[in-house]
């Protein structure tokens, strides 16, 4: 997943789930790690970071 796709997915998830989007991305990242899907886990890590940026400072 490239940077543009990551940002678009993060925005869509944040729009749909609000503040719960960060927790959802973190859970999906852990699920992928446990399943041995390292590439997908990295994608979710980047999505999680993008959601954090969308939320802004002092929001987690």
């Amino acid at each position: 997943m490239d940077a543009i796709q990551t940002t678009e997915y993060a925005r869509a998830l944040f729009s749909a789930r609000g503040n719960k989007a960060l927790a959802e991305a973190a859970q999906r990242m852990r699920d992928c790690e446990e399943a041995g899907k390292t590439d997908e886990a990295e994608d979710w890590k980047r999505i999680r970071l993008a959601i954090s940026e969308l939320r802004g400072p002092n929001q987690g």
Side-chain angles (χ1 to χ4, degrees):
M1 184 178 291
D2 66 27
I4 293 171
Q5 289 173 316
T6 300
T7 302
E8 288 174 352
Y9 199 91
R11 284 186 180 162
L13 186 58
F14 186 66
S15 177
R17 304 284 290 154
N19 289 330
K20 294 179 181 182
L22 193 61
E24 184 173 332
Q27 182 62 51
R28 290 188 183 200
M29 181 184 73
R30 284 189 298 274
D31 292 344
C32 288
E33 287 172 343
E34 290 173 6
K37 300 176 181 178
T38 56
D39 289 342
E40 288 182 44
E42 282 298 315
D43 288 341
W44 281 108
K45 181 179 181 180
R46 287 190 294 272
I47 290 167
R48 195 173 128 241
L49 291 172
I51 291 169
S52 292
E53 290 176 9
L54 290 171
R55 291 178 70 193
N58 301 321
Q59 295 291 318

